[in-house]
Amino acid sequence: MLRLVYLILSFFIIGITYSHSSQNNCTLEDVEILNAFSDGEKTYFTANDSPTEHSCGLFSYNGRKFKWVVLPRENYCFTYDDEYIYYFRKIIGSDIIRQDKNTENYTVLYKETKYTDSLYVGDKIIYSESKGDTEGYKDMISEYSIYCMEKDGNGRKQLLEIELSTNVPSKDIADFMVSGGYVYYLYPGLGYLYRINIESGSNEFVTAETQFSYKKDYSGVYMYGNKIYYSSAAYNDLGEFLGTYNLYGTDLNTGEKELAAENVMSFKIIGDLFIYNGKIHNEKGEVIAENINTSSICGNDDSFIYYTGCDNAQEKEYLYKYNIESGKVTNISKAFNSAYEKARRRKIGIGKDTVYVWNDGVFQIGHYSDGNHLDYHYDNFSLTDSVLENVITYKAKDDKLFVITEEGYAVIDKTNTAKVLVTVSEDEFTNGYSVNDEGEKIPYTRFIDDPQIVYLESFDDFETEEQKQFEKMEK
């Protein structure tokens, strides 16, 4: 299971912005708001309607209404430049996608990375990968790597490869940061800060002060300007622990460490805003908002802070925007929920001609003028092929969809793998013919070349229980 939905760091670096999902456990109508970021023209929200399956989408907001940009599917690690949105999509491994901001057109820049953690887009694309036991949220990581490539997907090179002597929980893998020609990363399992020169590839130690904050259970490590900020234990001159934690900033050029705030364990830096101890501070340390929980902050743009919070009865959560200048709070949940529902319906293709939707909509039974057909949706739901036509009956049972048609049988499981038995001849199982120079007819076969569809030779190739279910349906 992809684990990026659980990472809590969001880095907004001066110049080009890096954005990553943050864990805030805020839901609206069963939708989890992950984070928000602005490109100066629009504010974008990432949201997830299925934390166990990671169905994450991206929505833009113009101050009045929301509009989907990337449909909610297995996407994560959204970031952008002037023209494009960049993100990962889980297909086999994780594909790096570049999508035009104003259209649905996208390009796969690099296919089948391993399990990816972080994504940065500046002059180059930089991303990290992990390898290990990737099943579930509490997976264990044995290898960690960072790669760099050009923005067109070419020139990929490895900047870092770490083979861990002891496996590390994936939730303790922190996001890297990029600034001044360096990639800053926290060594997995230790939290020590290192940096890599992007051009030369040289790797050097920076500080061990970050070793407490790197874990996702705590506040994380953030970069602002030329300083790295982190929460660390407070000691007296004798080296004795004082029982509290403070917010520190270390200058990455001089190595000088300064005390930014006392008694701070959990904090966030979003844009120019420092959030800790229930208050939002500007870069000068002035309080501009109070009584806002650190974990509920989604993000901000130049004028607003976006966050989630409960109603007075503490029964339902809403999405709010806080006007930084006036202090006015506006509930924008209704507009968001409306946009999300439209995206969800489009994602699974629900409409007046849809008879039945299996699982997440990859397989559907659609109504056509010549009957009901079992359809397969693929390539970002932009293409559809008919698996079997003229459905006679269908039934969902034991986490499987059973379909009987005039052309054969199909069983689809919860992983969207279909076993298909075609009972008509190959000459009949076509989409017409072309004619070659010799006048011979060349049939366009309807057999689909896709690993999700497995064609069987005979009825006996179905499992015994599957055969029994088909026999019951035919009585």
Side-chain angles (χ1 to χ4, degrees):
M1 203 64 195
L2 293 181
R3 56 190 171 78
L4 269 299
V5 72
Y6 302 103
L7 300 180
I8 72 166
L9 298 180
S10 293
F11 294 108
F12 290 73
I13 301 174
I14 300 303
I16 296 295
T17 303
Y18 164 79
S19 173
H20 188 25
S21 302
S22 60
Q23 181 187 9
N24 53 35
N25 299 320
C26 300
T27 58
L28 303 93
E29 302 292 342
D30 299 322
V31 177
E32 182 181 20
I33 304 293
L34 299 176
N35 77 337
F37 57 90
S38 174
D39 66 358
E41 296 181 2
K42 296 178 182 177
T43 299
Y44 295 88
F45 288 78
T46 60
N48 182 22
D49 64 359
S50 179
T52 58
E53 297 180 9
H54 196 67
S55 180
C56 189
L58 182 70
F59 296 82
S60 66
Y61 180 63
N62 64 4
R64 187 169 50 88
K65 65 179 182 180
F66 288 86
K67 180 182 179 181
W68 63 265
V69 178
V70 180
L71 285 174
R73 298 193 184 96
E74 286 191 293
N75 311 311
Y76 55 100
C77 260
F78 291 95
T79 187
Y80 60 90
D81 61 16
D82 291 339
E83 298 181 75
Y84 300 101
I85 298 291
Y86 300 79
Y87 55 95
F88 292 115
R89 171 169 295 153
K90 181 183 178 184
I91 300 177
I92 299 176
S94 300
D95 290 355
I96 301 177
I97 307 293
R98 183 183 70 189
Q99 179 171 315
D100 190 288
K101 282 186 177 181
N102 299 312
T103 72
E104 296 178 53
N105 298 327
Y106 72 91
T107 302
V108 177
L109 296 179
Y110 194 83
K111 291 184 68 65
E112 299 180 23
T113 69
K114 296 175 185 177
Y115 288 83
T116 42
D117 306 296
S118 304
L119 174 66
Y120 167 86
V121 175
D123 294 332
K124 298 179 182 293
I125 295 175
I126 300 173
Y127 66 95
S128 59
E129 291 183 351
S130 298
K131 181 180 178 181
D133 173 17
T134 53
E135 294 297 326
Y137 169 55
K138 294 183 178 179
D139 52 339
M140 303 298 290
I141 299 303
S142 59
E143 295 180 15
Y144 178 72
S145 302
I146 296 176
Y147 292 88
C148 175
M149 66 182 183
E150 300 300 325
K151 293 175 72 172
D152 60 3
N154 293 319
R156 179 177 179 263
K157 67 177 182 179
Q158 189 174 53
L159 296 178
L160 176 72
E161 182 179 19
I162 298 176
E163 293 187 8
L164 303 171
S165 58
T166 303
N167 286 359
V168 175
S170 65
K171 67 185 182 68
D172 290 346
I173 302 293
D175 300 333
F176 63 78
M177 300 159 282
V178 180
S179 180
Y182 290 91
V183 179
Y184 292 84
Y185 70 95
L186 298 167
Y187 198 97
L190 296 177
Y192 297 169
L193 182 66
Y194 287 79
R195 70 178 185 179
I196 306 167
N197 186 299
I198 297 173
E199 291 302 320
S200 69
S202 61
N203 188 17
E204 62 183 9
F205 172 81
V206 179
T207 180
E209 292 284 343
T210 53
Q211 61 183 308
F212 170 78
S213 287
Y214 83 99
K215 292 191 176 183
K216 299 299 188 296
D217 295 336
Y218 301 103
S219 56
V221 177
Y222 292 81
M223 185 175 288
Y224 182 77
N226 65 334
K227 293 182 180 179
I228 190 85
Y229 286 87
Y230 49 91
S231 176
S232 188
Y235 297 90
N236 61 21
D237 293 338
L238 299 177
E240 298 169 333
F241 177 48
L242 298 178
T244 187
Y245 294 84
N246 295 331
L247 177 60
Y248 296 97
T250 295
D251 190 300
L252 295 172
N253 296 323
T254 66
E256 182 180 351
K257 174 183 173 182
E258 68 172 9
L259 174 65
E262 295 182 332
N263 299 315
V264 175
M265 178 176 284
S266 178
F267 78 101
K268 273 186 178 182
I269 299 177
I270 299 180
D272 293 328
L273 305 177
F274 289 64
I275 305 106
Y276 55 88
N277 295 344
K279 300 177 182 180
I280 299 177
H281 308 73
N282 60 23
E283 67 274 19
K284 298 178 181 179
E286 300 168 337
V287 176
I288 60 173
E290 298 188 47
N291 301 319
I292 295 181
N293 191 302
T294 303
S295 64
S296 69
I297 301 290
C298 304
N300 74 298
D301 55 29
D302 291 340
S303 302
F304 297 96
I305 299 167
Y306 299 92
Y307 66 98
T308 53
C310 291
D311 58 8
N312 293 332
Q314 298 292 307
E315 295 177 350
K316 193 173 182 179
E317 283 192 296
Y318 297 95
L319 177 62
Y320 297 97
K321 65 177 182 180
Y322 175 90
N323 189 306
I324 297 172
E325 184 176 350
S326 69
K328 180 181 178 182
V329 175
T330 304
N331 187 330
I332 56 176
S333 298
K334 185 176 180 180
F336 177 82
N337 287 333
S338 174
Y340 206 97
E341 177 61 19
K342 289 179 181 178
R344 186 191 70 83
R345 292 177 67 84
R346 175 162 182 175
K347 177 185 74 167
I348 64 176
I350 293 176
K352 63 180 180 180
D353 295 325
T354 303
V355 176
Y356 184 80
V357 177
W358 171 249
N359 202 4
D360 59 359
V362 170
F363 288 94
Q364 301 178 26
I365 297 174
H367 176 69
Y368 298 86
S369 60
D370 58 345
N372 295 338
H373 305 330
L374 175 62
D375 293 332
Y376 174 54
H377 298 265
Y378 61 100
D379 195 10
N380 197 29
F381 281 68
S382 63
L383 298 175
T384 301
D385 278 338
S386 176
V387 180
L388 293 172
E389 295 184 353
N390 298 316
V391 174
I392 299 171
T393 185
Y394 62 92
K395 185 178 182 63
K397 183 177 177 62
D398 298 329
D399 291 326
K400 295 180 180 179
L401 175 64
F402 295 81
V403 183
I404 301 176
T405 82
E406 293 180 3
E407 295 183 325
Y409 302 82
V411 178
I412 306 165
D413 64 22
K414 61 183 180 180
T415 69
N416 286 329
T417 299
K419 293 188 290 187
V420 179
L421 174 64
V422 178
T423 57
V424 297
S425 68
E426 288 192 22
D427 290 341
E428 296 178 74
F429 201 65
T430 64
N431 280 323
Y433 298 84
S434 64
V435 180
N436 63 19
D437 295 338
E438 284 75 35
E440 298 172 329
K441 287 185 176 181
I442 308 298
Y444 294 123
T445 180
R446 282 183 38 219
F447 287 96
I448 301 170
D449 185 12
D450 192 292
Q452 296 297 113
I453 299 178
V454 179
Y455 290 98
L456 306 183
E457 295 292 330
S458 73
F459 189 78
D460 291 338
D461 291 335
F462 287 110
E463 296 175 11
T464 302
E465 293 302 316
E466 294 170 346
Q467 296 178 36
K468 291 180 179 179
Q469 181 59 45
F470 281 130
E471 291 168 354
K472 288 180 182 179
M473 294 167 63
E474 289 180 317
K475 288 182 180 180

